[in-house]
Amino acid sequence: MDLSNRTVLIVGGTSGIGRELARRFVAAGSTVAVGGRSPQALSELAEEGFGTISIDVTDSASVASARDAALARYPDLDTVVTMSGVMLLEDLRDPAHFEAAETTIDTNLLGTIRVIDAFTPHLVQRGAGTFITVTSGIAFLPFPPMPTYAASKAAVHAYSEALRAQLDGTGVDVVELVPPAVATAGQEKVNPHALPLDDFATEVMDLLGTEPTPREILVDRVRVHRWAERDGAYDELVAQRSQALAMLPSRQGQR
Ligand SMILES: NC(=O)c1ccc[n+]([C@@H]2O[C@H](COP(=O)([O-])OP(=O)(O)OC[C@H]3O[C@@H](n4cnc5c(N)ncnc54)[C@H](OP(=O)(O)O)[C@@H]3O)[C@@H](O)[C@H]2O)c1
């Protein structure tokens, strides 16, 4: 993918991975708008020179008006990144987890679908463009403290595969970004060994820039998770990751 002259909207670009990739796309020569809910983050990014779009991916009306605003300002929009996501811990022994499960599915899965639906007619009509969906190593190797998160990302993986097949022949590509644990505000609390954001972004931009762009963007660190089942490491790694259940507040001091 040529990264030097794209017009990119990163939905979920107000912090973390999305914000860093927004900066990297600009550094590579592309025009970038970022979307999200936080008015403060949006106004800081506007001061930095980004186009900004207010959007809540859990609200179809908000997604539609964000789409209209984005296309009015960027009629040549060719790349849409569905980065918005929440990463919530859940204790499945406590029925109160259901609220987190609903938020997770509404944001990570339905939010992705809402954004893709909103921009598909534009990209198909252009006859060229790219959706970049965002899953996780956890889509392929569950992390037991975040069960609905794992389910939502496995679902986005499956959805991305089907979307790619359905858009075949339209000129619209689907690229799935599969991050490992990356040291953003959300992850640092959960995993002190997370990959530094800078290193992750550098590797992602290198992989995105290859010709032809891979269907899945897999940095080195995530390959062990992506291929755990194929490589026979799945059961052992899930058992290892289950030790992290001790981090659930309700399990502190229990076995
Ligand atoms: N960090 C990791 O270790 C890791 C690993 C694998 C996958 N990922 C995935 O990478 C993506 C970014 O994660 P991150 O670590 O960069 O987290 P982050 O810093 O918390 O960023 C999350 C982004 O999602 C946006 N967002 C959340 N709810 C939204 C909503 N209802 N509507 C619109 N935007 C919403 C946030 O913007 P507002 O708050 O402004 O709305 C923010 O821009 C997520 O999909 C995450 O699951 C992260």
Side-chain angles (χ1 to χ4, degrees):
M1 178 189 293
D2 178 2
L3 304 171
S4 69
N5 64 351
R6 303 190 75 93
T7 306
V8 184
L9 170 63
I10 303 186
V11 180
T14 50
S15 65
I17 295 173
R19 185 175 58 192
E20 184 57 28
L21 292 185
R23 291 174 177 152
R24 300 297 181 110
F25 267 103
V26 167
S30 289
T31 300
V32 181
V34 292
R37 295 163 305 174
S38 164
Q40 192 188 333
L42 288 170
S43 82
E44 285 167 12
L45 285 160
E47 276 174 34
E48 216 180 293
F50 288 100
T52 57
I53 305 284
S54 175
I55 179 169
D56 180 347
V57 300
T58 66
D59 175 351
S60 297
S62 167
V63 172
S65 59
R67 182 260 330 272
D68 293 347
L71 294 181
R73 181 156 176 199
Y74 303 100
D76 295 328
L77 184 74
D78 56 32
T79 305
V80 177
V81 184
T82 58
M83 183 67 71
S84 297
V86 292
M87 293 175 269
L88 303 176
L89 299 173
E90 291 168 81
D91 184 344
L92 300 186
R93 297 182 194 176
D94 176 0
H97 87 90
F98 190 74
E99 200 180 321
E102 280 187 313
T103 304
T104 301
I105 295 297
D106 202 14
T107 309
N108 298 8
L109 175 57
L110 294 176
T112 295
I113 295 173
R114 288 185 189 98
V115 173
I116 289 171
D117 279 353
F119 287 97
T120 294
H122 166 75
L123 293 183
V124 168
Q125 193 262 329
R126 273 189 100 242
T130 305
F131 281 117
I132 301 180
T133 60
V134 181
T135 62
S136 167
I138 292 175
F140 303 94
L141 184 73
F143 181 61
M146 297 165 71
T148 309
Y149 179 77
S152 73
K153 293 298 188 177
V156 173
H157 165 67
Y159 200 85
S160 304
E161 296 274 294
L163 179 68
R164 183 181 300 116
Q166 290 215 15
L167 296 182
D168 188 34
T170 64
V172 182
D173 301 324
V174 178
V175 176
E176 178 183 343
L177 172 62
V178 188
V182 177
T184 60
Q187 260 298 312
E188 269 159 356
K189 285 180 240 149
V190 182
N191 185 352
H193 307 296
L195 188 61
L197 181 55
D198 253 12
D199 297 353
F200 173 68
T202 299
E203 218 178 324
V204 168
M205 296 307 279
D206 283 350
L207 291 166
L208 276 175
T210 62
E211 203 58 58
T213 302
R215 287 165 21 159
E216 293 178 10
I217 300 298
L218 300 170
V219 301
D220 261 358
R221 182 76 73 90
V222 85
R223 288 174 181 271
V224 68
H225 302 146
R226 173 66 180 93
W227 304 117
E229 199 161 8
R230 183 195 70 184
D231 295 345
Y234 188 89
D235 287 349
E236 191 188 328
L237 287 172
V238 172
Q240 236 177 56
R241 289 153 78 87
S242 297
Q243 291 168 15
L245 285 166
M247 75 169 50
L248 293 173
S250 50
R251 303 267 181 106
Q252 305 282 311
Q254 289 178 26
R255 297 191 49 149

